[in-house]
Amino acid sequence: MTRTYELSHLRALESEAIHIMREVAAELERPVLLFSGGKDSIVLLRLAEKAFRPGRFPFPLMHVDTGHNFPEAIEFRDRRVAELGERLIVASVQESIDKGRVVEETGPRASRNRLQTITLLDALEEHGFDAAFGGARRDEERARAKERVFSFRDDFGQWDPKAQRPELWNLYNGRIRKGEHVRVFPLSNWTELDVWQYIEEEALEVPSIYFAHRRRVFRRDGMLYALAGFTELIDGEQPFEATVRYRTVGDMSCTGGVESSAATIEEVVREIAATRITERGETRADDRVTEAAMEDRKRQGYF
Protein backbone atom coordinates (compact mmCIF):
# COMPACT_ATOMS: atom_id res chain seq x y z
CA MET A 1 0.00 0.00 0.00
CA THR A 2 1.40 3.36 -1.04
CA ARG A 3 0.88 6.28 1.30
CA THR A 4 0.95 9.83 0.05
CA TYR A 5 2.14 12.73 2.20
CA GLU A 6 0.88 16.17 1.26
CA LEU A 7 1.24 19.44 3.12
CA SER A 8 -1.78 21.69 3.36
CA HIS A 9 -1.51 25.15 1.83
CA LEU A 10 -0.81 26.75 5.22
CA ARG A 11 1.69 24.09 6.27
CA ALA A 12 3.58 24.54 2.99
CA LEU A 13 3.81 28.29 3.67
CA GLU A 14 4.87 27.59 7.25
CA SER A 15 7.57 25.18 6.11
CA GLU A 16 8.94 27.69 3.60
CA ALA A 17 9.02 30.50 6.22
CA ILE A 18 10.79 28.32 8.80
CA HIS A 19 13.37 27.35 6.17
CA ILE A 20 13.98 31.04 5.43
CA MET A 21 14.43 31.89 9.11
CA ARG A 22 16.89 29.06 9.65
CA GLU A 23 18.76 30.03 6.48
CA VAL A 24 19.21 33.60 7.78
CA ALA A 25 20.33 32.36 11.19
CA ALA A 26 22.94 30.18 9.45
CA GLU A 27 24.14 32.72 6.84
CA LEU A 28 24.07 36.10 8.58
CA GLU A 29 25.95 37.18 11.71
CA ARG A 30 23.54 39.58 13.47
CA PRO A 31 19.89 39.25 12.51
CA VAL A 32 17.01 41.03 14.24
CA LEU A 33 13.26 40.44 14.02
CA LEU A 34 10.98 43.46 13.77
CA PHE A 35 8.00 43.04 16.09
CA SER A 36 5.26 45.66 16.31
CA GLY A 37 2.50 43.65 17.98
CA GLY A 38 0.70 43.44 14.63
CA LYS A 39 -0.75 40.24 13.16
CA ASP A 40 2.06 39.61 10.66
CA SER A 41 4.83 39.93 13.24
CA ILE A 42 2.79 37.77 15.63
CA VAL A 43 2.90 35.05 12.98
CA LEU A 44 6.66 35.63 12.61
CA LEU A 45 7.09 35.02 16.34
CA ARG A 46 5.15 31.78 16.10
CA LEU A 47 7.32 30.67 13.18
CA ALA A 48 10.46 31.58 15.12
CA GLU A 49 9.23 29.44 18.01
CA LYS A 50 8.81 26.50 15.66
CA ALA A 51 12.19 27.14 14.04
CA PHE A 52 14.31 27.57 17.17
CA ARG A 53 12.58 26.36 20.36
CA PRO A 54 13.33 24.98 22.88
CA GLY A 55 16.35 27.32 22.66
CA ARG A 56 16.26 31.12 22.70
CA PHE A 57 15.82 32.91 19.40
CA PRO A 58 19.23 33.51 17.75
CA PHE A 59 18.29 37.19 17.41
CA PRO A 60 16.61 39.94 19.47
CA LEU A 61 13.29 41.58 18.64
CA MET A 62 13.04 45.25 17.72
CA HIS A 63 10.17 47.72 17.38
CA VAL A 64 10.39 51.14 15.78
CA ASP A 65 7.99 53.02 18.04
CA THR A 66 6.61 56.27 16.63
CA GLY A 67 5.13 57.26 20.01
CA HIS A 68 1.79 57.47 18.20
CA ASN A 69 1.08 53.76 18.10
CA PHE A 70 -2.16 52.23 19.33
CA PRO A 71 -1.86 51.68 23.12
CA GLU A 72 -3.49 48.25 22.77
CA ALA A 73 -0.71 47.15 20.41
CA ILE A 74 2.04 48.42 22.71
CA GLU A 75 0.51 46.65 25.72
CA PHE A 76 0.29 43.45 23.71
CA ARG A 77 3.87 43.85 22.41
CA ASP A 78 5.37 44.12 25.90
CA ARG A 79 3.26 41.33 27.36
CA ARG A 80 4.04 38.90 24.51
CA VAL A 81 7.78 39.59 24.69
CA ALA A 82 7.72 38.95 28.45
CA GLU A 83 5.85 35.66 27.92
CA LEU A 84 8.45 34.53 25.39
CA GLY A 85 11.36 35.62 27.56
CA GLU A 86 13.08 37.26 24.59
CA ARG A 87 14.91 40.60 24.38
CA LEU A 88 13.12 43.62 22.88
CA ILE A 89 14.91 46.70 21.55
CA VAL A 90 12.68 49.77 21.19
CA ALA A 91 13.91 52.30 18.63
CA SER A 92 12.13 55.56 19.40
CA VAL A 93 11.07 58.13 16.81
CA GLN A 94 10.64 60.64 19.66
CA GLU A 95 14.34 60.20 20.52
CA SER A 96 15.22 60.81 16.87
CA ILE A 97 13.20 64.05 17.01
CA ASP A 98 14.87 65.10 20.29
CA LYS A 99 18.34 64.47 18.80
CA GLY A 100 17.52 66.52 15.69
CA ARG A 101 17.85 63.48 13.42
CA VAL A 102 14.35 64.12 12.02
CA VAL A 103 11.97 67.06 12.03
CA GLU A 104 8.43 66.46 13.21
CA GLU A 105 5.69 67.41 10.78
CA THR A 106 3.04 69.90 11.86
CA GLY A 107 -0.59 70.49 10.93
CA PRO A 108 -3.69 68.30 10.94
CA ARG A 109 -2.21 65.81 8.45
CA ALA A 110 1.12 65.50 10.26
CA SER A 111 2.36 61.94 10.68
CA ARG A 112 5.39 60.28 12.21
CA ASN A 113 5.13 57.31 9.88
CA ARG A 114 7.70 58.56 7.37
CA LEU A 115 10.08 59.51 10.20
CA GLN A 116 10.45 55.83 11.13
CA THR A 117 12.94 55.33 8.29
CA ILE A 118 15.78 57.28 9.92
CA THR A 119 15.06 55.74 13.34
CA LEU A 120 15.18 52.26 11.81
CA LEU A 121 18.40 52.88 9.87
CA ASP A 122 20.07 54.42 12.93
CA ALA A 123 19.10 51.42 15.07
CA LEU A 124 20.34 48.90 12.50
CA GLU A 125 23.69 50.70 12.35
CA GLU A 126 23.98 51.20 16.12
CA HIS A 127 23.48 47.51 16.85
CA GLY A 128 25.36 46.25 13.79
CA PHE A 129 22.44 44.21 12.46
CA ASP A 130 23.07 42.69 9.04
CA ALA A 131 19.61 41.17 8.51
CA ALA A 132 16.17 42.33 9.60
CA PHE A 133 13.14 40.04 9.47
CA GLY A 134 9.90 41.80 8.59
CA GLY A 135 6.31 40.70 8.17
CA ALA A 136 5.73 42.38 4.79
CA ARG A 137 3.78 40.37 2.20
CA ARG A 138 3.71 40.72 -1.58
CA ASP A 139 -0.08 40.97 -1.65
CA GLU A 140 -0.09 44.16 0.42
CA GLU A 141 1.06 46.74 -2.08
CA ARG A 142 2.71 46.94 -5.53
CA ALA A 143 6.16 48.00 -4.24
CA ARG A 144 6.19 45.14 -1.76
CA ALA A 145 5.25 42.80 -4.60
CA LYS A 146 8.60 43.70 -6.23
CA GLU A 147 10.65 42.66 -3.20
CA ARG A 148 12.71 39.50 -3.06
CA VAL A 149 12.62 37.28 0.05
CA PHE A 150 16.20 38.40 0.76
CA SER A 151 15.96 42.08 -0.14
CA PHE A 152 19.34 43.75 -0.41
CA ARG A 153 19.99 47.23 1.09
CA ASP A 154 23.10 49.29 0.33
CA ASP A 155 25.45 51.15 2.70
CA PHE A 156 22.82 53.88 3.11
CA GLY A 157 19.96 51.47 3.78
CA GLN A 158 18.46 52.20 0.37
CA TRP A 159 16.64 49.78 -1.91
CA ASP A 160 17.00 49.66 -5.69
CA PRO A 161 14.14 47.67 -7.26
CA LYS A 162 16.14 47.29 -10.49
CA ALA A 163 19.15 45.74 -8.77
CA GLN A 164 17.71 42.72 -7.01
CA ARG A 165 19.26 39.30 -6.85
CA PRO A 166 17.68 36.30 -8.52
CA GLU A 167 16.08 33.76 -6.22
CA LEU A 168 15.66 30.36 -7.82
CA TRP A 169 13.56 27.78 -6.00
CA ASN A 170 14.60 28.10 -2.33
CA LEU A 171 18.14 29.35 -2.95
CA TYR A 172 18.89 32.68 -1.28
CA ASN A 173 22.00 34.84 -1.52
CA GLY A 174 22.93 36.42 1.82
CA ARG A 175 26.40 37.62 0.85
CA ILE A 176 26.86 41.26 1.79
CA ARG A 177 29.68 43.71 2.28
CA LYS A 178 30.36 45.56 5.53
CA GLY A 179 27.73 48.25 6.03
CA GLU A 180 25.16 46.54 3.83
CA HIS A 181 22.27 44.46 5.11
CA VAL A 182 19.26 42.49 3.92
CA ARG A 183 15.60 42.81 4.78
CA VAL A 184 14.13 39.32 4.95
CA PHE A 185 10.46 38.58 4.34
CA PRO A 186 9.47 35.02 5.34
CA LEU A 187 5.79 35.86 4.70
CA SER A 188 6.33 37.13 1.16
CA ASN A 189 4.14 34.44 -0.38
CA TRP A 190 1.37 34.70 2.23
CA THR A 191 -1.85 36.65 1.77
CA GLU A 192 -3.80 38.52 4.43
CA LEU A 193 -6.27 35.64 4.44
CA ASP A 194 -3.44 33.11 4.91
CA VAL A 195 -2.23 35.07 7.93
CA TRP A 196 -5.68 35.09 9.55
CA GLN A 197 -6.28 31.43 8.80
CA TYR A 198 -2.91 30.58 10.34
CA ILE A 199 -3.75 32.67 13.41
CA GLU A 200 -7.02 30.73 13.67
CA GLU A 201 -5.36 27.35 13.17
CA GLU A 202 -2.60 28.06 15.69
CA ALA A 203 -5.01 29.77 18.15
CA LEU A 204 -2.70 32.80 18.38
CA GLU A 205 -3.65 35.79 20.50
CA VAL A 206 -3.80 39.19 18.75
CA PRO A 207 -4.37 42.72 20.09
CA SER A 208 -7.99 43.64 20.80
CA ILE A 209 -8.08 46.37 18.14
CA TYR A 210 -8.32 43.67 15.45
CA PHE A 211 -11.83 42.93 16.68
CA ALA A 212 -14.95 45.10 16.50
CA HIS A 213 -15.17 47.62 19.34
CA ARG A 214 -16.65 51.04 20.03
CA ARG A 215 -14.23 53.94 19.51
CA ARG A 216 -14.32 57.73 19.09
CA VAL A 217 -13.36 58.43 15.48
CA PHE A 218 -13.59 61.09 12.80
CA ARG A 219 -13.97 60.67 9.05
CA ARG A 220 -11.28 61.99 6.67
CA ASP A 221 -10.74 61.11 3.01
CA GLY A 222 -13.14 58.20 3.30
CA MET A 223 -11.38 56.60 6.28
CA LEU A 224 -12.20 56.51 9.99
CA TYR A 225 -9.31 57.72 12.14
CA ALA A 226 -9.09 57.25 15.90
CA LEU A 227 -9.13 60.34 18.09
CA ALA A 228 -5.87 60.67 20.01
CA GLY A 229 -4.13 63.28 22.13
CA PHE A 230 -2.14 64.56 19.16
CA THR A 231 -5.13 64.69 16.78
CA GLU A 232 -5.76 68.04 15.06
CA LEU A 233 -9.11 68.20 13.29
CA ILE A 234 -9.78 70.08 10.07
CA ASP A 235 -12.74 72.48 9.92
CA GLY A 236 -15.94 70.51 9.47
CA GLU A 237 -14.64 67.24 10.92
CA GLN A 238 -16.81 66.04 13.79
CA PRO A 239 -15.84 63.20 16.15
CA PHE A 240 -18.39 60.46 16.68
CA GLU A 241 -18.53 56.97 18.12
CA ALA A 242 -18.54 53.97 15.79
CA THR A 243 -18.04 50.22 15.87
CA VAL A 244 -14.76 49.59 14.08
CA ARG A 245 -11.87 47.21 13.88
CA TYR A 246 -8.38 47.53 12.38
CA ARG A 247 -6.78 45.50 9.61
CA THR A 248 -3.31 46.89 10.44
CA VAL A 249 -1.81 48.39 13.60
CA GLY A 250 0.38 51.10 12.07
CA ASP A 251 0.92 54.63 13.31
CA MET A 252 -2.43 56.07 14.49
CA SER A 253 -1.97 59.22 12.40
CA CYS A 254 -2.19 57.33 9.10
CA THR A 255 -4.09 54.14 9.95
CA GLY A 256 -7.83 53.99 9.44
CA GLY A 257 -10.34 51.60 10.92
CA VAL A 258 -13.12 49.80 9.08
CA GLU A 259 -16.73 49.58 10.23
CA SER A 260 -17.20 45.95 11.18
CA SER A 261 -19.04 43.63 13.52
CA ALA A 262 -16.37 40.90 13.39
CA ALA A 263 -15.67 40.12 17.04
CA THR A 264 -13.91 36.75 16.77
CA ILE A 265 -11.10 35.31 14.67
CA GLU A 266 -13.62 33.15 12.81
CA GLU A 267 -15.67 36.23 11.90
CA VAL A 268 -12.54 38.14 10.84
CA VAL A 269 -11.53 35.25 8.55
CA ARG A 270 -14.98 35.30 6.91
CA GLU A 271 -14.80 39.08 6.50
CA ILE A 272 -11.34 38.99 4.90
CA ALA A 273 -12.36 36.14 2.60
CA ALA A 274 -15.23 38.26 1.28
CA THR A 275 -13.52 41.64 0.89
CA ARG A 276 -12.21 42.85 -2.45
CA ILE A 277 -10.18 45.76 -1.04
CA THR A 278 -6.58 45.29 0.16
CA GLU A 279 -5.80 46.16 3.76
CA ARG A 280 -3.40 48.96 2.82
CA GLY A 281 -5.73 50.26 0.13
CA GLU A 282 -8.58 50.46 2.60
CA THR A 283 -6.81 51.65 5.75
CA ARG A 284 -3.43 53.32 5.12
CA ALA A 285 -3.30 57.02 4.26
CA ASP A 286 0.48 56.96 3.75
CA ASP A 287 0.03 54.86 0.60
CA ARG A 288 -2.36 57.40 -0.93
CA VAL A 289 0.08 60.32 -1.07
CA THR A 290 1.23 59.38 -4.59
CA GLU A 291 0.97 56.36 -6.86
CA ALA A 292 4.51 55.37 -5.88
CA ALA A 293 4.37 56.43 -2.21
CA MET A 294 5.47 53.08 -0.80
CA GLU A 295 8.22 52.57 -3.37
CA ASP A 296 9.57 56.07 -2.73
CA ARG A 297 9.72 55.37 1.00
CA LYS A 298 11.31 51.98 0.48
CA ARG A 299 14.01 53.48 -1.74
CA GLN A 300 14.90 55.72 1.22
CA GLY A 301 15.09 52.79 3.64
CA TYR A 302 11.54 52.31 4.87
CA PHE A 303 10.46 48.76 5.49
Side-chain angles (χ1 to χ4, degrees), residues 3-226:
R3 292 187 175 180
T4 58
Y5 178 71
E6 293 183 1
L7 289 177
S8 68
H9 173 61
L10 285 181
R11 293 305 154 189
L13 290 173
E14 176 191 67
S15 177
E16 177 189 61
I18 289 173
H19 166 73
I20 292 166
M21 286 187 149
R22 289 174 173 166
E23 190 75 7
V24 170
E27 284 193 47
L28 282 300
E29 293 184 4
R30 291 182 61 81
V32 66
L33 188 150
L34 299 183
F35 178 59
S36 64
K39 64 184 186 307
D40 302 307
S41 56
I42 289 169
V43 168
L44 283 184
L45 286 191
R46 181 59 173 157
L47 294 167
E49 285 186 280
K50 293 196 174 189
F52 303 110
R53 287 292 192 247
R56 297 277 306 271
F57 296 168
F59 39 74
L61 313 179
M62 185 166 76
H63 181 216
V64 180
D65 188 348
T66 67
H68 289 170
N69 292 101
F70 288 91
E72 298 95 328
I74 298 300
E75 183 278 329
F76 178 88
R77 177 198 72 185
D78 294 340
R79 181 163 51 80
R80 189 72 188 109
V81 170
E83 289 170 354
L84 288 169
E86 298 291 342
R87 181 165 72 100
L88 174 70
I89 298 167
V90 177
S92 167
V93 170
Q94 182 61 57
E95 287 185 12
S96 297
I97 294 171
D98 295 341
K99 292 177 181 176
R101 293 286 294 151
V102 294
V103 177
E104 185 156 30
E105 298 175 359
T106 59
R109 295 184 183 276
S111 171
R112 290 184 170 183
N113 188 57
R114 187 177 58 82
L115 307 184
Q116 295 181 80
T117 299
I118 295 299
T119 305
L120 170 63
L121 295 178
D122 285 351
L124 292 175
E125 182 177 2
E126 176 187 350
H127 295 279
F129 294 128
D130 55 6
F133 290 108
R137 310 182 318 269
R138 290 191 176 116
D139 79 319
E140 289 182 76
E141 198 275 341
R142 70 188 74 179
R144 285 187 166 167
K146 296 179 182 179
E147 292 265 25
R148 297 287 194 266
V149 173
F150 277 38
S151 189
F152 176 79
R153 296 300 195 274
D154 68 15
D155 306 47
F156 303 99
Q158 296 177 334
W159 175 65
D160 182 355
K162 295 181 179 178
Q164 299 194 78
R165 297 170 174 176
E167 291 181 341
L168 304 177
W169 302 287
N170 60 351
L171 301 177
Y172 305 107
N173 185 349
R175 296 185 64 180
I176 55 174
R177 295 179 301 175
K178 187 174 177 57
E180 299 171 339
H181 68 276
V182 289
R183 310 285 173 88
V184 183
F185 304 112
L187 307 184
S188 280
N189 293 326
W190 297 49
T191 66
E192 183 185 15
L193 182 59
D194 293 329
V195 167
W196 277 109
Q197 289 176 329
Y198 190 76
I199 288 170
E200 181 181 29
E201 198 165 290
E202 293 287 315
L204 301 180
E205 184 185 358
V206 297
S208 58
I209 63 171
Y210 280 118
F211 303 115
H213 59 282
R214 300 291 288 176
R215 183 181 289 268
R216 294 279 289 171
V217 299
F218 62 98
R219 192 179 299 278
R220 177 180 294 172
D221 303 329
M223 291 196 289
L224 296 175
Y225 292 97

